[in-house]
Amino acid sequence: MTGDRIRALWDTMAAGWADGDAARFASVFAADVDFVNVRGECVSGRAAVEAGHARLFATAYRGTTLSASVVLIRRLAPDLSLVHATSEIAPAGVVTHAQALVRHDGSPEITAFHNMIPKGPTP
């Protein structure tokens, strides 16, 4: 069941993105998340993730959608999993690959997130 709950985090991100709702998008991240975006910029905290995505949704990525696919879940400890996910932003054609640490000792939440644009094909 944990795999379904983890995949639901990416579904929530995609729904928030489609609606331009930065609060919903950021709701899957821990309050103290460490987040690295595709430009290599590091931010700390859900509020910073929300603020950054609110700017994106109001400008360059207004009206776009995010489709995401969790491609790997590896349990590292009873309450922690490593997750690999790919996503595509349409119609921009941007493809990303993310690695995330997900805590799932209660409601799952992303505690660390590193997103990048790969140079080659993604899995």
Side-chain angles (χ1 to χ4, degrees):
M1 187 61 168
T2 300
D4 291 340
R5 293 175 68 208
I6 288 172
R7 285 179 180 84
L9 298 173
W10 272 263
D11 292 343
T12 298
M13 276 193 273
W17 190 291
D19 292 340
D21 184 343
R24 185 171 182 193
F25 176 87
S27 70
V28 302
F29 296 98
D32 63 347
V33 67
D34 293 309
F35 186 102
V36 180
N37 67 25
V38 296
R39 294 179 304 278
E41 299 164 339
C42 303
V43 298
S44 294
R46 181 186 309 124
V49 172
E50 181 179 340
H53 282 81
R55 285 189 296 278
L56 290 175
F57 298 157
T59 58
Y61 290 106
R62 174 179 285 214
T64 61
T65 59
L66 176 78
S67 60
S69 178
V70 171
V71 295
L72 175 129
I73 299 172
R74 178 170 297 165
R75 185 154 312 204
L76 302 176
D79 63 346
L80 186 69
S81 291
L82 171 68
V83 178
H84 288 200
T86 59
S87 59
E88 182 173 357
I89 302 167
V94 176
V95 175
T96 67
H97 182 105
Q99 288 188 330
L101 290 176
V102 175
R103 270 193 307 244
H104 44 79
D105 52 349
S107 294
E109 62 183 1
I110 300 169
T111 188
F113 189 84
H114 189 141
N115 204 17
M116 51 86 75
I117 298 173
K119 286 187 174 185
T122 57

